[in-house]
Amino acid sequence: MPSTEKLGLAAPEHTELLKLLNTGRGLVLIVGPDAEHRLQTLRILEMYLQSQRREISTAGAVAATTSGSSHAMPPWVLESWRDQARVEVAPEITTFQELESLLRSARQATLLLASTGGVDGGTYLAQAVEAGIDPVLLGEGVLAILTQHSIKKNCPLCRVDLAPSFSLEELFESSFGRLGFPFPGFYLREGRGCHTCDFTGYLGLAHVFEFMRMSPAVQEQLGEEANTEVIDGRAMTEGMLPWEAKLYFRLKHGDIALNDAAAALAASRQCL
């Protein structure tokens, strides 16, 4: 069974995530650009909860089960069923109306798990407020947002150090806004291709996560100025490490190629 430790979260983030899954009441949302990888992470969290003997249902199953007057449950049976389910999973919500419906149903389930497309937690929250979602409902209903970006990983058997060049320095500066590349301790690498990676230069994926907890400070910010920069700023003062910073660390250690890191950053900026 896949372990939550395989997600690659930092130790404090992993501990906090498990605490929310075990004791939290509200929505844990997985956000990212790739649906397949979002769903894989959602499944890992679901399997963890199953291992903790939590009862899990699909969000909306109650409505589907009770549709039709001839098969409707009595209210007391319906309430008991919801209480026993305790955890609801909603794979791939696509609209903010679905998000609002989930947040309102958070009062009927101990925990909600869902996934959706997006760049990161701060951007998604700002867009939700702009779309008309009540900031109070967001603040009270969302427990945390787990951002996931999956980048192709350099093959460890055939990756090589790249020689400095003007084009590489220009790409690095335009992507990360830092001068002085290359510098000591930075290993810019890419795979050349070998039998192990089928001559692609890649072997597996590097998953880059950002863990945003809905803290009182972030919750307060939603009702004041709900834009990405300010929300992220509040979260970072409380210890959140942005996914862009983690992407930089993976690049620095030669896990991923500069072209792939730059492409991930460019794609996220186009969505803002």
Side-chain angles (χ1 to χ4, degrees):
M1 182 183 71
S3 168
T4 54
E5 294 180 353
K6 298 295 184 182
L7 295 177
L9 291 168
E13 295 173 333
H14 183 251
T15 300
E16 185 66 20
L17 175 61
L18 294 189
K19 179 180 177 181
L20 292 178
L21 293 177
N22 289 323
T23 64
R25 184 182 183 90
L27 173 65
V28 175
L29 185 63
I30 301 167
V31 172
D34 190 289
E36 179 183 357
H37 298 138
R38 293 194 303 265
L39 288 172
Q40 288 175 355
T41 299
L42 187 70
R43 180 57 179 156
I44 289 174
L45 299 186
E46 185 179 352
M47 292 176 70
Y48 168 77
L49 290 169
Q50 288 174 336
S51 73
Q52 302 301 304
R53 301 185 181 278
R54 300 286 291 276
E55 296 293 333
I56 299 175
S57 68
T58 302
V62 175
T65 303
T66 59
S67 61
S69 58
S70 61
H71 298 89
M73 295 184 193
W76 65 270
V77 175
L78 178 59
E79 182 177 353
S80 175
W81 191 94
R82 279 172 168 161
D83 184 58
Q84 290 175 4
R86 300 184 66 78
V87 180
E88 291 187 4
V89 178
E92 291 305 286
I93 59 175
T94 57
T95 67
F96 288 114
Q97 287 72 26
E98 289 178 292
L99 171 67
E100 184 175 23
S101 177
L102 280 178
L103 293 175
R104 296 191 184 282
S105 70
R107 303 185 182 102
Q108 301 167 345
T110 299
L111 185 69
L112 290 165
L113 301 178
S115 59
T116 189
V119 176
D120 56 41
T123 301
Y124 189 80
L125 290 173
Q127 291 173 343
V129 173
E130 185 178 356
I133 304 298
D134 183 2
V136 175
L137 184 63
L138 273 174
E140 294 179 349
V142 175
L143 282 175
I145 299 180
L146 188 63
T147 298
Q148 176 176 1
H149 288 261
S150 300
I151 318 296
K152 289 186 293 185
K153 193 173 182 179
N154 288 334
C155 175
L157 298 181
C158 65
R159 66 183 183 182
V160 296
D161 293 338
L162 298 182
S165 68
F166 176 76
S167 60
L168 288 176
E169 183 175 352
E170 187 177 42
L171 180 58
F172 181 83
E173 183 179 341
S174 64
S175 300
F176 292 95
R178 301 193 179 197
L179 301 175
F181 171 80
F183 49 86
F186 200 104
Y187 302 96
L188 191 60
R189 295 167 173 163
E190 68 177 28
R192 290 304 193 193
C194 64
H195 287 286
T196 300
C197 63
D198 200 20
F199 297 96
T200 63
Y202 299 107
L203 195 63
L205 293 170
H207 299 296
V208 180
F209 287 95
E210 174 186 286
F211 182 76
M212 175 182 282
R213 174 76 186 270
M214 183 60 75
S215 65
V218 175
Q219 186 174 350
E220 180 183 357
Q221 192 60 55
L222 294 178
E224 296 179 359
E225 185 181 0
N227 66 65
T228 304
E229 292 77 12
V230 177
I231 294 173
D232 282 344
R234 281 291 185 96
M236 284 188 285
T237 60
E238 299 187 329
M240 185 192 82
L241 189 62
W243 73 271
E244 296 94 336
K246 294 183 178 180
L247 182 73
Y248 175 83
F249 293 144
R250 300 303 292 265
L251 177 66
K252 177 181 178 181
H253 290 92
D255 293 335
I256 57 179
L258 177 57
N259 287 335
D260 297 312
L265 289 172
S268 68
R269 288 163 184 165
Q270 290 176 359
C271 297
L272 296 178

